[in-house]
Amino acid sequence: MARRHPADNALLVAVGTLVGSVLSYGFSFALAHLLDQTGYGQIGSLLMISLVASIPATAIQAVTARRIASAGPLDAPGLRALTGPLVRWSLLVGLGTTVLLAALAPAVSALLPAVSTGEVAWTALSLVPNALIFCYLGVAQGSSRFRAFSVLFVGFNGAKLLAGVVAGAAGARPGLIMGVVAASWFATAAAAHYGLADIVGKPHLVRGLGYVHELGTASWSLGAVLVLSLLDGLLAAHYFNGDVLGRYQAGALFTRAGYFGPQFVGVLAYPKLAVPETRRKALTTAVVLSVGIGLLIVACTLFAASPIIRVAFGAKYLGGAGTHFDLVSAAWLFALAGATQALVQLALLDAVARRSHVIGWLVFGGIVIEAAIILGFAHHTATQLIGTAACCGTVTAVVSLTVSTLARHHAAAQHPAQPNSEYVTATP
């Protein structure tokens, strides 16, 4: 099969991630109209809980893609031998996170009074298919099957949208809506396994692959940026409720636009970041593109926030005099926070490719500082809270990318790719 031109891959992934992101936003837009502001605030909080609990799934994609990309060119039997154990490990990780979140549901509900124990338990059901889907995304990404990656990403978010619209239109409450989303993702995972059957081996467990340690390293790094991106929303759910929380969750969609807008850049760059010879050029190109896209999203939000909010959420989200929170004037801060978090994620992807912990610790420091400022005094208004998040995200992004740039190739050389012989025992 002829290889696609890099420009074709870039366009394909850009379109795929754009369509998938639009479908993901469509889930929130639809529920903003189907639920009242209190219900929408609850669904937003449950989505944030789900994202935090999905940190291992995000790491699964990165680990899977890195292992496949660094293994070099493999034929179909070689790929099946490589991927079989990775799928089984993903299933085990998904089951483990489901049980853990369900067990912690009462504590999570106590920490975030806006959601109930039952709603958190419903949300936990989505973690098993989520882990499997991210594994399949990693398989497609690492093997440069960007068409399959794009189709799966669109299908993943499309299933979420369809489930949300059907359940919301039927009058389901937020917890049950998350349960229906989980069911749709089980079907998506099954379709992904079938679609990649030629390169996905029979799932089976193989010990001694160093998988758990590598997954822990990736979870630490990628989990740090995810916590950074969700921290303000989680604290908003602690300090605010009712209409103010609903408006804040609506504003969080501008954060997601800034965060996910440059996502395709990281998808394309990551396999090259895992190879020392191509890392520097890939990192430089990715940074330039991500900064440009982020600035464009912030500018669009600054000048067009009012019509976007009116169309996406309805006129009830405009104004805000009674709540002391004008979403229109604060929307650009949400977008800026997301854009800076996307840059932090790019630095962390580079760190995962190099198996470095340094960037993760830097981001952890940013999380601690942001939390300390918000908990200490910057929580009296919603604008104060998101402004703090945007400032802390900017500083963290600048520091992280500076360290990544200075690391150059010698950091990658300290952690050479594992040889293919590591996977010999995985052959069915």
Side-chain angles (χ1 to χ4, degrees):
M1 180 182 295
R3 293 182 62 87
R4 286 179 173 269
H5 190 276
D8 295 334
N9 287 332
L11 179 61
L12 183 63
V13 176
V15 171
T17 53
L18 175 62
V19 173
S21 297
V22 168
L23 293 174
S24 180
Y25 300 148
F27 174 85
S28 298
F29 294 157
L31 291 180
H33 292 278
L34 294 171
L35 302 175
D36 58 20
Q37 290 187 356
T38 299
Y40 183 70
Q42 291 175 325
I43 201 73
S45 298
L46 292 174
L47 285 173
M48 286 189 296
I49 293 169
S50 175
L51 285 171
V52 172
S54 298
I55 287 173
T58 306
I60 283 171
Q61 178 185 342
V63 170
T64 301
R66 194 207 67 78
R67 287 194 168 212
I68 294 174
S70 62
L74 295 173
D75 56 14
L79 281 172
R80 287 195 293 270
L82 186 74
T83 56
L86 299 179
V87 174
R88 175 55 60 88
W89 275 110
S90 300
L91 177 60
L92 293 176
V93 170
L95 289 171
T97 53
T98 295
V99 172
L100 180 61
L101 180 57
L104 293 176
V108 173
S109 179
L111 183 64
L112 304 175
V115 297
S116 68
T117 299
E119 289 172 336
V120 177
W122 276 112
T123 302
L125 294 177
S126 67
L127 298 181
V128 172
N130 195 47
L132 289 172
I133 290 170
F134 273 84
C135 178
Y136 295 130
L137 284 170
V139 170
Q141 182 182 10
S143 59
S144 296
R145 295 200 174 192
F146 293 114
R147 175 182 293 177
F149 179 94
S150 300
V151 170
L152 178 53
F153 187 76
V154 170
F156 171 61
N157 289 291
K160 173 184 169 183
L161 171 60
L162 180 61
V165 170
V166 171
R173 298 304 300 162
L176 184 56
I177 291 175
M178 295 302 295
V180 176
V181 169
S184 73
W185 282 350
F186 274 106
T188 303
H193 186 85
Y194 177 80
L196 294 170
D198 62 319
I199 58 174
V200 174
K202 181 179 179 181
H204 60 285
L205 184 62
V206 176
R207 296 183 177 86
L209 295 182
Y211 182 84
V212 174
H213 180 268
E214 188 174 352
L215 184 65
T217 300
S219 295
W220 163 253
S221 297
L222 297 177
V225 70
L226 189 56
V227 172
L228 180 68
S229 69
L230 298 175
L231 179 61
D232 66 292
L234 292 171
L235 291 175
H238 176 74
Y239 285 111
F240 310 121
N241 52 41
D243 290 353
V244 175
L245 180 59
R247 290 172 185 274
Y248 200 98
Q249 299 297 356
L253 288 181
F254 290 103
T255 304
R256 294 175 196 170
Y259 183 59
F260 290 111
Q263 188 179 47
F264 76 95
V265 177
V267 171
L268 290 168
Y270 186 71
K272 295 181 179 180
L273 293 175
V275 181
E277 291 76 16
T278 58
R279 173 183 169 267
R280 183 177 182 181
K281 181 179 179 181
L283 180 61
T284 301
T285 303
V287 169
V288 172
L289 286 174
S290 296
V291 169
I293 294 171
L295 290 175
L296 178 62
I297 292 172
V298 172
C300 290
T301 304
L302 181 63
F303 293 107
S306 182
I308 292 174
I309 293 171
R310 183 183 296 275
V311 171
F313 303 107
K316 61 185 178 182
Y317 285 86
L318 298 173
T323 62
H324 304 289
F325 177 42
D326 183 5
L327 180 56
V328 174
S329 62
W332 73 274
L333 289 172
F334 285 94
L336 176 61
T340 59
Q341 291 157 9
L343 294 174
V344 173
Q345 183 184 44
L346 180 60
L348 283 164
L349 284 173
D350 176 64
V352 171
R354 295 183 288 112
R355 300 187 188 178
S356 171
H357 298 269
V358 175
I359 304 299
W361 281 110
L362 288 174
V363 178
F364 178 74
I367 292 170
V368 171
I369 293 173
E370 180 180 330
I373 294 174
I374 293 175
L375 292 172
F377 56 87
H379 58 259
H380 299 294
T381 68
T383 302
Q384 193 178 48
L385 199 154
I386 185 57
T388 301
C391 291
C392 291
T394 300
V395 174
T396 304
V398 171
V399 174
S400 298
L401 286 174
T402 299
V403 172
S404 293
T405 302
L406 294 176
R408 298 182 184 276
H409 295 306
H410 68 273
Q414 294 173 0
H415 304 282
Q418 299 182 19
N420 293 346
S421 60
E422 177 184 353
Y423 303 100
V424 172
T425 58
T427 305

